[in-house]
Amino acid sequence: MRHPTEGVLRRLVDEPAGVSDADRQHVADCPVCLVGLAAAREDAAAVGAALHSDGAASPDPAAAWQRLSTALPARAATPAPAAPRRRRGLLHRPAAAVLAFVVVLSGAGVAAANDWLPIFRTEQVAPLEVSSTDLVALPDLTAYGDVELTGDGGPHAVPDAAAARAETGLDVPEVGALPEGVAGEPTYQVVGELSGVFTFSAEKAAQAAAASGESLPPLPVGLDGSRVRLTAGPGVAAVWSQPSGVPTLVVGRAVAPSASSSGVPFETVRDFLLSLPGLPEDLAAQLRTFTADGSTLPIPVPADQVETSQAEVGGLPATVLESHDQALAAVVWVDEGVVTLVGGSVSTEEILAVAGDLG
Amino acid sequence: MELVRPPRPEAVLALPGTGHRSATGGIGGTDGVAVARAVPGTVRADLGEVFRLEYPRVVGVAARVLGSRDWAEDVAQDVFLSFARSSVPAGEARGWLSVAAAHTALNLLRSGRRRASREETAAAADDAVAPDVADAVVTLEERRRVRAALARLPRKQAVALVLRHSGMGYADVAAALDLSPGSVGTTVRRAESALRKELDRHASSD
């Protein structure tokens, strides 16, 4: 009888009941296999000790459940504490980061340039369906280069529409008739221009590929060190809330995202990023389809949560998003480089009515 | 997605791909892509029960990768939030959660942002006072090396290794990773062999 595989020897170490009687008998009588078994046992013990973590022994499920509850939608109906903020920043949402970047990158094609060159300017919005598991599986963008962010410190409240306009240069859309259940005066939020520069690093990308057990695709000439800059904003939003503080209607407007690149042709960067290990092929293929139209901003939408459809607002194509439970609806459209969103816990019909009636 | 998320009105400005800056400087409307988190009524009904049953395991998986309970609990939060809005069949929850915890923790490990944790600090103190308690005592430096090596392993090997060392049976690991039951041992063995070499290589050069 031939020797059992190293995998069988390994299983003998800690799950011998899963190994056949014949294999067990062979190993017991075979000096060669006994040596292999001893080696497997030693390696398993050494690695087990190295991976051992005392911290794993005593998690606090009650506190963890409390924390999770504050971040969950069902509990969001009560004013939610800011606890999840640290967690969000901590993990940097790596999957989301690369997806967002790829989404913008997938928007356009352009010839080579030696300086910053506009490569993408949002003129339309289209849904891009992803699943939660895709998000978990995607690689971390920072594994492929350096990311540097500049711009506004984040959204903040302003007293009124005039102040919002003064800070951003954008008119706050005026809502005609409020939907049923929405009342009172809105509060106003503004955000300044935000931008981020991604500098591609061949060395980092190679390390990342090796870490995931994949080989890096051939590196196009000039890609190493090339940069892509993403810019968005400023933006304004008017928010209507219930007395409890839960928003019921949001009307927002922002200068639409744009991207520019330096050095290599844009397609080179885009195609290379799309070919990186870890990006699900179906998602990459879906992203590539956006390249035919250089002005479309794909919005990643979780297929199991949100339905999308097309509509018109003021004669412009618009994307409607509606949660499957019909508790929330939103519509997004772009007009001359400015993206507008109307969303809230009202019906799709009401959202479209508000959108169509914006002043 | 953020676009339909009422509890945080500022999110309306965080369109995907807008370069929106997150709390600690992530890029690209990252929050905007972490979609539908806050759509009321879409949290799965069995979340509480699954959480009660699986939380310690999920933390355990992440802790083996990261060596830190604090960070492992952060990872577990992220994983359960994803699970809460997923439609993963209840029968596959354990495998899904474990694999997600391993991937998320490995991503974090690979990103190099992990800080020295309280556990590592404590381990360092232990190393200083009782270096030779038993064969199983592993130095802080060894822990760091093995985790660096873990981050460099082929992803499937790393995940299989972590799941097995977290107590998941061979058949369950096979099901969770879509491997044949027979290949789990081989995959784990190769991972252990690679990590052991890494430990020995440094031990011999010390």
Side-chain angles (χ1 to χ4, degrees), chain A residues 6 10 14 43 52 55 58 64 67 73 87 89-90 93 100 104 133 149 152 191 211 232 247 299 305 325 341, chain B residues 1 3 6 13 17-18 21 24-25 28 37 40 69 74 77-78 85 96 143 151 153 164 170 189-190 192 196:
Chain A
E6 62 178 0
R10 176 61 184 82
D14 56 4
D43 287 357
H52 177 72
S58 54
R67 180 179 166 193
R87 183 192 55 72
L90 180 72
R93 291 244 170 268
V104 170
T133 47
L149 292 140
D152 190 273
V191 63
I299 304 177
Q305 305 274 342
D325 61 2
L341 173 143
Chain B
M1 59 184 298
L3 294 171
L13 302 174
T18 60
R21 179 155 60 180
T24 54
R37 170 149 299 165
R69 192 184 80 185
D74 285 335
Q77 289 284 320
D78 207 49
R85 62 176 194 265
W96 189 94
R143 288 176 194 272
L153 281 181
R164 178 62 201 130
Y170 283 70
R189 179 78 187 96
R190 285 177 185 164
E192 287 171 345
R196 183 74 192 280

Side-chain angles (χ1 to χ4, degrees), chain A residues 37-65:
Chain A
L37 176 62
R41 182 171 284 130
E42 285 177 15
D43 287 357
V47 171
L51 291 180
H52 177 72
S53 170
D54 294 334
S58 54
D60 183 350
W65 176 250

Side-chain angles (χ1 to χ4, degrees), chain A residues 17 37 51 77 80 99 103 143 156 167 207 221 262 303 325 336:
Chain A
L37 176 62
L51 291 180
L99 184 59
V103 161
H156 59 275
E167 278 205 31
Q207 288 172 356
V221 174
S262 72
D325 61 2
E336 296 184 349

